[in-house]
Amino acid sequence: IGAFTRRADATPDIEAHRRVGRVKRGAGLNLEYAWPSTLRVFGRVGWNGGDTESYAYTEVHSTAAAGGDITGVRWRRPSDRLGVAFVSNGLSAAHREYLRLGGVGFLLGDGTLRYGRETILETYYNAHLWRGVYGAAGGSWIGRPGYNRDRGPVTVGTIRLHVDF
């Protein structure tokens, strides 16, 4: 992404700089703490240089997340969990410029970009339904989806089913 092709009459083309064997470097830190049978909390940060094409996961170059959950002990459902998490994701300066000029990434790009960090607030309730069967419902609020101040916010509802065999 750091060195992309751009002619005056064309959008940038990241594919013009693909090279087999490129390495994407980054770092991450995860901290978790659990109080016996009641509360879990976590904090995470991550970074990568943002100077290579994204081809898996998602286009994030810096991230910070924090959250936690509590068990349902207080309402006599000890296997249930109620949780919340907050995430803030960002892009490198080179990737922001690439998208601003009309470049298209793995998941991003619509011809222009007015950059802003993407922020997410997620909540969930995970319920133990029956022997090894869990159901969850939740929601996410996403501010500036796709790092674009011209988009969002968006609210997304979720339902999940988990079965242990």
Side-chain angles (χ1 to χ4, degrees), residues 12 19-20 31 58 64 72 80 85-86 90 94 96 100 111 130 152 155:
R19 190 176 65 219
V20 174
L31 300 171
T58 190
D80 291 7
F86 175 78
R96 292 192 305 256
R100 188 188 69 74
W130 184 67
T155 303

Side-chain angles (χ1 to χ4, degrees), residues 58-155:
T58 190
E59 296 174 65
V60 175
H61 301 124
S62 63
T63 187
D69 62 15
I70 59 173
T71 65
V73 170
R74 290 183 185 246
W75 54 93
R76 295 185 182 94
R77 296 198 44 93
S79 296
D80 291 7
R81 292 201 163 269
L82 174 65
V84 64
F86 175 78
V87 182
S88 176
N89 294 322
L91 292 177
S92 69
H95 200 140
R96 292 192 305 256
E97 180 67 2
Y98 170 76
L99 293 172
R100 188 188 69 74
L101 293 171
V104 177
F106 180 70
L107 295 172
L108 300 176
D110 63 359
T112 189
L113 178 71
R114 281 190 348 108
Y115 178 75
R117 284 188 73 87
E118 183 177 74
T119 55
I120 304 165
L121 177 64
E122 182 173 343
T123 61
Y124 65 89
Y125 187 87
N126 190 33
H128 180 240
L129 303 175
W130 184 67
R131 299 181 190 164
V133 179
Y134 295 83
S140 297
W141 177 91
I142 306 166
R144 295 178 297 280
Y147 308 99
N148 200 330
R149 290 187 288 163
D150 293 333
R151 306 285 181 262
V154 175
T155 303

